Amino acid sequence: MTASTANAQRFREFKMPDVGEGLTEAEILKWYVQPGDTVTDGQVVCEVETAKAAVELPIPYTGVVHELRFGEGVTVDVGTAIIAVDTDPGAGPAEAPAAAPQEAAADEEAEPQGRQAVLVGYGAAPSSTKRRARKPQPGVPAQPEPAMAALQAELNGRAAPAAPATPVAPAVQPAPAAPAGSAVPAAGRPLAKPPVRKLAKDLGIDLATILPTGPDGIITREDVHAAATPAAAPAEAPAPVAVAAAEPGTVDTAARERRVPVKGVRKATAQAMVASAFTAPHVTEFITVDVTRTMKLVQELKQDPDMAGLRVNPLLLVAKAFLVALKRHPEANAAWDEANQEIVYKDYVNLGIAAATPRGLIVPNIKDAGAKTLPQLASELGDLVATAREGKTSPAAMAGGTVTITNVGVFGVDTGTPILNPGESAILAFGAVKLQPWVHKGKVKARQVTTLALSFDHRLVDGELGSKLLADVAAVLERPKRLITWG
């Protein structure tokens, strides 16, 4: 056995698993261990957030944590090693993990070419700068800074600023004045970076007419702007300089904005909503219904011994009414299979409940909800909501939904036009229950009223079927005894 093989068997890497259905990445929310901690097989070492839920990850090794490859808050691709464990810490000093040689190799690849080996170390590396040094112009002496500024101003068609006189060596003869509009000859193509060249082109400036001030004879943006500046008025009659005022109504809001990366549940929700909205043709219908009798039944059920310890609320009866209506119209419980060009009719109902959590909107579902009794439905609904609020909903709990209910009424909203959960046929929005004037038995009375909205996939559910489904939900809530006669 080679040393590298023994090292690989000793230091075991735990890779980010696919904890859901085809997930590609997850964010590390929290580490429960640190390097040097002892871990055992099956111990939870971290919590990660996938595109569907927060999940705790157990490690399949026993040993000592050697390295955490990523910190908290980092999104890691599935299949990437996130932690290394020394499974034989008593075998002596720990060797470097396998990742170290790769880093060294990368350093070797980055070694500049052309360096000559000497007895100790390497000789000086050649400069990476490929530009030529600026050559002195024929007949033009090297100019001190004030003289360069004067020459630049002259080239740009402006009067040179006044400068203190400097002694000139008598042996140097001044260059003959260039004709008006001519450029100082340049040795080859003017040196400038692509953005500077584009700037000069946009401003209509010929780079050959600009005297560079940058290192190695490079023309800078400042040189281009200086060349584009209009000629100043004569010194004896200076023009008043106007101070540029901020454009009226312009407000800098950058300091009052925050940017947050799109990831986790928010990223998954955004992708799902876009896919649904632009794939399934949505139709939304509305109905307003008197739910006074349903609200009375809620209060009675709270006192029923069979419902003791269970959460009883209007949403529970709305869910039951939806299930009864789907039983009467099973064609609405279907899915569109685009790949096979088939409609899949489902003889079971996995009822999704949209839940707002600190990490965003998730839609876990109650499996085979249509076959459950009211106490069973209440129990699972309560567990589902509690688990979602704790951020512990598993990806499996959010898979396989067929229809969904969203309770916008808890926010005081009358109704809305909900977007279908991808792969589902319908979603029912339950609005706020409010005391309103209502004609009841021929008289206007104060009644408890709500508005329901049903969005459905028009490829699967036509107008007649959708209307009947929504009308039956409303009918059950108006007269909840239909839960018995229709159920």
Side-chain angles (χ1 to χ4, degrees):
M1 180 183 298
T2 64
S4 60
T5 303
N7 188 50
Q9 291 182 350
R10 175 178 173 183
F11 293 95
R12 306 301 297 271
E13 294 180 334
F14 178 56
K15 299 179 180 180
M16 178 69 74
D18 179 3
V19 295
E21 298 178 346
L23 298 177
T24 60
E25 62 183 16
E27 177 188 354
I28 298 175
L29 294 180
K30 185 177 181 179
W31 282 108
Y32 297 126
V33 295
Q34 294 298 324
D37 291 352
T38 300
V39 294
T40 58
D41 186 358
Q43 178 180 338
V44 173
V45 294
C46 68
E47 181 182 22
V48 300
E49 183 184 45
T50 69
K52 296 183 177 181
V55 181
E56 292 182 333
L57 298 182
I59 196 162
Y61 310 122
T62 297
V64 174
V65 177
H66 181 75
E67 180 185 10
L68 303 182
R69 296 288 172 82
F70 299 94
E72 295 177 353
V74 178
T75 299
V76 182
D77 292 338
V78 169
T80 303
I82 60 175
I83 182 175
V85 176
D86 184 355
T87 60
D88 190 12
E95 298 179 9
Q102 296 175 4
E103 295 174 1
D107 292 340
E108 292 176 4
E109 292 176 2
E111 192 70 35
Q113 300 295 324
R115 300 183 66 175
Q116 300 298 321
V118 292
L119 291 177
V120 178
Y122 286 83
S127 172
S128 61
T129 303
K130 301 300 182 183
R131 300 185 176 90
R132 303 183 304 274
R134 186 181 60 209
K135 297 179 180 180
Q137 307 300 328
V140 180
Q143 301 284 349
E145 290 300 323
M148 289 183 63
L151 180 57
Q152 178 70 70
E154 183 179 352
L155 288 171
N156 296 343
R158 295 178 293 162
T166 56
V168 180
V172 179
Q173 297 297 325
S182 65
V184 175
R189 187 170 181 239
L191 299 179
K193 296 180 179 180
V196 177
R197 292 184 182 278
K198 184 178 185 304
L199 174 63
K201 181 179 179 181
D202 294 341
L203 296 177
I205 304 298
D206 184 0
L207 290 174
T209 66
I210 299 177
L211 184 65
T213 62
D216 295 335
I218 301 173
I219 297 173
T220 65
R221 296 180 66 91
E222 290 72 19
D223 296 337
V224 176
H225 284 299
T229 304
E236 60 273 15
V241 179
V243 179
E247 188 175 335
T250 302
V251 180
D252 184 10
T253 59
R256 294 183 291 166
E257 297 177 346
R258 293 183 298 113
R259 291 180 177 267
V260 179
V262 179
K263 56 186 179 180
V265 175
R266 175 55 58 192
K267 182 178 181 179
T269 301
Q271 293 172 342
M273 292 299 97
V274 170
S276 177
F278 294 99
T279 300
H282 284 56
V283 173
T284 305
E285 294 186 337
F286 308 88
I287 190 169
T288 303
V289 57
D290 176 6
V291 293
T292 304
R293 292 187 178 93
T294 292
M295 299 304 290
K296 290 180 178 179
L297 179 58
V298 168
Q299 298 303 318
E300 293 174 2
L301 289 174
K302 288 182 178 181
Q303 309 302 322
D304 193 309
D306 291 335
M307 304 295 288
L310 300 176
R311 183 179 177 83
V312 180
N313 54 24
L315 178 61
L316 172 62
L317 294 187
V318 171
K320 192 63 176 178
F322 197 15
L323 293 170
V324 168
L326 284 168
K327 185 177 180 180
R328 287 167 58 85
H329 305 285
E331 300 86 358
N333 187 39
W336 184 272
D337 187 344
E338 181 66 27
N340 296 315
Q341 287 295 293
E342 295 175 341
I343 297 176
V344 182
Y345 292 100
K346 302 180 179 182
D347 296 329
Y348 60 91
V349 179
N350 291 344
L351 179 62
I353 304 295
T357 73
R359 294 190 178 99
L361 177 70
I362 63 173
V363 188
N365 59 76
I366 300 173
K367 301 294 190 286
D368 209 12
K372 298 187 183 301
T373 64
L374 191 63
Q376 291 172 338
L377 190 64
S379 176
E380 295 213 19
L381 183 59
D383 292 343
L384 178 148
V385 173
T387 303
R389 288 176 178 172
E390 294 173 0
K392 302 298 183 181
T393 303
S394 67
M398 292 182 282
T402 61
V403 295
T404 292
I405 295 177
T406 177
N407 185 11
V408 298
V410 295
F411 306 110
V413 175
D414 291 334
T415 190
T417 54
I419 297 178
L420 293 167
N421 207 29
E424 299 183 6
S425 60
I427 179 171
L428 178 70
F430 174 35
V433 178
K434 297 181 178 180
L435 201 62
Q436 296 183 13
W438 193 265
V439 177
H440 178 66
K441 295 182 179 180
K443 297 181 180 180
V444 177
K445 296 182 179 180
R447 303 286 288 181
Q448 291 176 297
V449 177
T450 191
T451 300
L452 305 173
L454 181 71
S455 292
F456 51 86
D457 186 341
H458 214 351
R459 298 173 300 179
L460 300 165
V461 181
D462 58 25
E464 179 185 9
L465 178 58
S467 299
K468 288 181 177 179
L469 178 63
L470 180 60
D472 279 0
V473 175
V476 172
L477 294 176
E478 184 178 18
R479 294 182 178 273
K481 69 178 183 181
R482 292 190 172 107
L483 288 172
I484 300 174
T485 58
W486 289 359

